[in-house]
Amino acid sequence: MKKSVRKGFLFLLILSFLLLAVAPGTALAEEFRLVKPNGGEFLLVGASYTLTWTGAPDSSSMEVWLSLDSGATYDISLGSGSNGSFTFTVPDHPTKNARIQLIGVIGSINIPLVGSAPLLGSDTSDADFTIMKLAVIQPIPILPLQPVIPNAPTELRSVTSGTEAVQISWTDNSSTEAGFRIQRRTSGSGSWNQVVEVAANQTSFIDVGPHTAGTGYEYRVLAFNSAGESGYSNQISVSIPVPPVTPEPVPDPQPSPKPVVIRLKIGNRSYSVNGSPGQMDTAPMIIGGRTLLPIRYVADPLGASLGWDKLDSKASVQMGATLIDLWIGKNQAMVNGVPRFIDPGNASVTPLIVPPGRTMLPLRFIAEALGCDVVWNPGDDSVTITWQP
């Protein structure tokens, strides 16, 4: 909109307010107001922004003007919009003192002898908002570093040597090597051969044999990368020793294994293994004429292993090739997969659990299945279990 036309709008605006003061029948909507931007916003140059207003008929068109000097002048036209909003592309005018002015029809007035006429109105941002522009930082190109020939390794030395392997180590003096090349030759010969190429930062190598006893070898190492090879390290000589001949040792006669003797008493938690005393957590008891006890105090001295299957309530005892499976409350057990009655003369003899949760197993049945002798002494209610390896 040109400035002359904009001045005409301002004139009609002033005239509208004068007529409104004297003319009855003025038709107005709610108070005309610019909602946003109304101060404090940040608008990015080149981005789309939608300003909004209230209090004007949807059909009326509002002229949108931009000020860059806190509202002293509004001389940049952004266009026009209706229906309470207007979307525009933020112009390339960075400033912290931007404001918006809206000018347009906000209602109608009834002029005597003339009839209904449009009522103009305007509103501006209450405070400044900011238009900003992002700075584009150009990346600084990174030029690839040109490789340089690595420094030569030093302090090459032999760590161990033998017919099976020779181990050497060295000091890495470079941070740019791609790897190391290790060369070897037989002492006294003039021809060097590359043994292996190892990775960067590696500082040792094992030259796996077999090597000939009494033979001497010489080693040297260099570093390399795409720029070339370093100089050689110091050169070392390694002699493969001749192992001494030692006579075959005469094996010591094996002593005869000693028997294991376990003694316990009914109702007494004390027991002994080959005379050494111990304490059980639950005393042996007699149920159905048979001795039941926590079997680990017999199994452990014999070297047997124990197992417990909670799901099936099954206890297992294994010593060597013998495996015994027993079930809580069942009078039959399995010995190497073969079913056997625990006490053929008394079906009431079964494994059971006594408070506070200790599993009690039949002593004689398990001990004899493992190859032990069991002797009952009725005079003092004691039991002696003997196992001869």
Side-chain angles (χ1 to χ4, degrees):
M1 180 183 290
K2 296 182 178 178
K3 290 185 178 180
S4 60
V5 178
R6 185 159 171 252
K7 289 179 180 178
F9 268 113
L10 294 175
F11 173 75
L12 289 174
L13 177 61
I14 296 170
L15 179 60
S16 298
F17 281 109
L18 290 174
L19 291 173
L20 181 59
V22 298
T26 302
L28 291 174
E30 60 181 295
E31 179 187 0
F32 176 62
R33 186 169 62 89
L34 174 62
V35 177
K36 68 172 189 176
N38 203 32
E41 294 88 352
F42 289 85
L43 278 61
L44 185 63
V45 170
S48 294
Y49 185 80
T50 300
L51 60 85
T52 59
W53 63 86
T54 60
D58 290 344
S59 60
S60 64
S61 178
M62 290 289 165
E63 296 291 333
V64 183
W65 293 86
L66 174 65
S67 171
L68 304 177
D69 52 11
S70 300
T73 59
Y74 289 92
D75 51 6
I76 300 175
S77 175
L78 298 179
S80 62
S82 59
N83 296 319
S85 67
F86 171 64
T87 301
F88 64 96
T89 300
V90 180
D92 191 2
H93 296 302
T95 180
K96 295 182 179 180
N97 307 114
R99 296 196 185 195
I100 290 291
Q101 182 183 59
L102 296 180
I103 302 175
V105 177
I106 63 172
S108 63
I109 59 175
N110 187 21
I111 302 175
L113 303 179
V114 176
S116 179
L119 177 64
L120 296 177
S122 71
D123 193 23
T124 62
S125 304
D126 291 343
D128 293 343
F129 62 86
T130 301
I131 296 176
M132 59 184 180
K133 188 175 185 178
L134 293 180
V136 178
I137 301 175
Q138 297 295 333
I140 301 174
I142 300 175
L143 299 177
L145 296 176
Q146 296 299 320
V148 296
I149 295 176
N151 297 325
T154 56
E155 298 180 345
L156 179 64
R157 55 199 176 275
S158 171
V159 179
T160 58
S161 60
T163 56
E164 297 301 323
V166 174
Q167 183 176 3
I168 60 174
S169 64
W170 60 89
T171 299
D172 180 4
N173 297 313
S174 176
S175 61
T176 61
E177 80 275 358
F180 296 93
R181 295 187 175 114
I182 300 169
Q183 296 182 349
R184 182 191 67 195
R185 69 180 179 182
T186 304
S187 297
S189 68
S191 177
W192 288 93
N193 297 307
Q194 180 169 309
V195 178
V196 72
E197 188 175 283
V198 298
N201 301 319
Q202 185 169 328
T203 57
S204 66
F205 170 69
I206 298 177
D207 186 11
V208 179
H211 301 294
T212 304
T215 303
Y217 294 99
E218 296 174 351
Y219 291 88
R220 65 184 185 182
V221 181
L222 61 82
F224 71 92
N225 60 17
S226 58
E229 294 181 339
S230 72
Y232 290 106
S233 67
N234 58 299
Q235 180 179 313
I236 62 170
S237 297
V238 177
S239 297
I240 306 302
V242 177
V245 178
T246 57
E248 289 290 334
V250 178
D252 295 330
Q254 294 296 321
S256 300
K258 295 181 179 180
V260 177
V261 180
I262 305 169
R263 290 187 173 89
L264 52 90
K265 286 186 177 183
I266 301 301
N268 193 333
R269 294 193 298 135
S270 298
Y271 74 106
S272 66
V273 178
N274 290 342
S276 298
Q279 286 286 320
M280 302 182 190
D281 57 8
T282 303
M285 61 182 62
I286 294 179
I287 298 177
R290 294 299 180 186
T291 300
L292 278 74
L293 80 166
I295 201 63
R296 81 167 48 253
Y297 297 102
V298 174
D300 288 350
L302 300 180
S305 60
L306 302 177
W308 171 251
D309 186 338
K310 183 177 181 181
L311 183 63
D312 292 336
S313 298
K314 180 182 73 172
S316 299
V317 183
Q318 182 164 11
M319 188 172 75
T322 302
L323 173 62
I324 308 169
D325 293 320
L326 308 99
W327 289 264
I328 300 298
K330 292 186 178 181
N331 59 11
Q332 258 194 335
M334 300 286 285
V335 179
N336 290 338
V338 178
R340 288 175 52 182
F341 283 102
I342 296 174
D343 188 343
N346 188 351
S348 66
V349 179
T350 67
L352 54 84
I353 296 178
V354 298
R358 170 58 66 190
T359 301
M360 307 291 281
L361 299 181
L363 169 62
R364 181 178 292 276
F365 176 81
I366 295 174
E368 290 181 348
L370 296 178
C372 301
D373 291 327
V374 180
V375 177
W376 165 254
N377 186 352
D380 59 357
D381 291 338
S382 66
V383 181
T384 302
I385 303 102
T386 305
W387 177 66
Q388 179 66 51

